[in-house]
Amino acid sequence: MPAPLTTRFAPSPNGSLHLGHAYAAIVAHDRAMQDGGRFLLRIEDIDGMRSRAELADEFRADLEWLGLTFEEVPAQSTRLTSYREAAQNLRAMGLLYPCRCTRAEVAAAATLQGPDGPIYPGTCLRNPPLASADPVWRLDVEQAAELCGSLTWFDERRGPQAARPAMLGDVVIWRRDAPASYHLAATLDDAADGVTVVTRGADLFAATHIHRLLQVLLGLPEPRWHHHGLLAGADGRKLAKRRDAPSLADRRRAGEDGRALAYALRHTRFDTGVSLDESLDLLP
Ligand code: GLU
């Protein structure tokens, strides 16, 4: 029997959820239900410095309040061994290099801006740093892409895509503080959790190019993707965790009807003060 269609909602517990997250969760939930599939909740608490354990309970309560049934899979903080092993594999393949540049140094030296900020200019690839206690490890994207040849991936809403992993530059794979990067952790987890349709906002469209490359390098199965539009506030900007009050938890505690809110979001009845913008953060 083929694996059931499986989607996930993967929030980071560094701030309360807002309407944009509610919309993301609803899209992922409904996509799975449409096919009689599974909808997973994964707490992305890889960033030990910024994650707050109590928010995971808040997120569960928010989803229930919206009327969404989910299965929870282990949080990222319990999966560090798999991240370490994968990073070691990539390193053994000669595809990671140590980097000691600070964010400020990268910003000052970069000549290209990518969708997520300055593109790493390859300083430490050209001039390997002297032994450093605690470097970050970056993926040599050019070499990795050469090894894999041309790759494609499929977005359910935008059709076939040619992978352009160089778009984000030599991304960090292993961090000093977190420890694994979002790219490595999310790619491994989606495979381990049996996710068949990676459903998330269009602001992560560019990340998919690098995730596709990592899947091939690490021998992981290829899912499909579903990048949905983003909710914009009255100022036309994407909603942000801290900027746009109130949070889902505020609304829930104030006695608002979560299922009615979910209905409004599903039917894009944005008397909620937000609108759906399909173009926000989407690359050409
Ligand atoms: N943890 C990410 C966030 O909260 C989501 C990552 C993803 O859906 O791939 O923005």
Side-chain angles (χ1 to χ4, degrees), residues 1-199:
M1 231 172 59
L5 187 140
T6 303
T7 66
R8 88 307 194 265
F9 175 56
S12 304
N14 54 20
S16 290
L17 302 182
H18 59 66
L19 285 180
H21 296 100
Y23 183 71
I26 290 166
V27 170
H29 168 273
D30 291 3
R31 178 68 191 90
M33 295 309 122
Q34 185 190 326
D35 266 55
R38 301 169 67 208
F39 168 58
L40 310 180
L41 169 67
R42 183 173 70 231
I43 303 294
E44 298 214 320
D45 57 351
I46 186 86
D47 188 339
M49 305 287 275
R50 288 195 298 165
S51 292
R52 287 162 41 207
E54 72 279 10
L55 286 176
D57 279 337
E58 185 180 294
F59 294 178
R60 292 178 196 108
D62 289 342
L63 293 186
E64 278 160 22
W65 174 70
L66 290 166
L68 307 180
T69 309
F70 57 90
E71 287 172 56
E72 186 164 355
V73 292
Q76 288 191 323
S77 55
T78 66
R79 308 190 194 205
L80 302 188
T81 311
S82 81
Y83 307 150
R84 187 175 294 280
E85 280 170 9
Q88 279 164 353
N89 285 344
L90 293 172
R91 202 176 151 188
M93 292 162 82
L95 296 176
L96 300 189
Y97 64 89
C99 169
R100 283 193 330 174
C101 298
T102 61
R103 267 176 212 272
E105 283 166 348
V106 174
T111 49
L112 293 172
Q113 281 295 317
D116 278 354
I119 299 270
Y120 184 64
T123 320
C124 291
L125 179 64
R126 284 189 308 275
N127 300 304
L130 299 175
S132 154
D134 218 2
V136 302
W137 291 83
R138 290 184 181 274
L139 182 66
D140 182 340
V141 172
E142 196 180 308
Q143 209 195 324
E146 231 173 74
L147 193 70
C148 295
S150 62
L151 300 174
T152 55
W153 53 278
F154 188 81
D155 182 273
E156 291 193 334
R157 305 183 68 227
R158 296 181 179 84
Q161 307 287 324
R164 290 186 284 158
M167 188 182 278
L168 294 182
D170 288 355
V171 291
V172 172
I173 292 293
W174 196 257
R175 291 169 53 179
R176 289 185 191 95
D177 49 348
S181 73
Y182 157 67
H183 300 297
L184 182 66
T187 302
L188 288 167
D189 294 348
D190 284 336
D193 296 339
V195 172
T196 60
V197 183
V198 177
T199 305

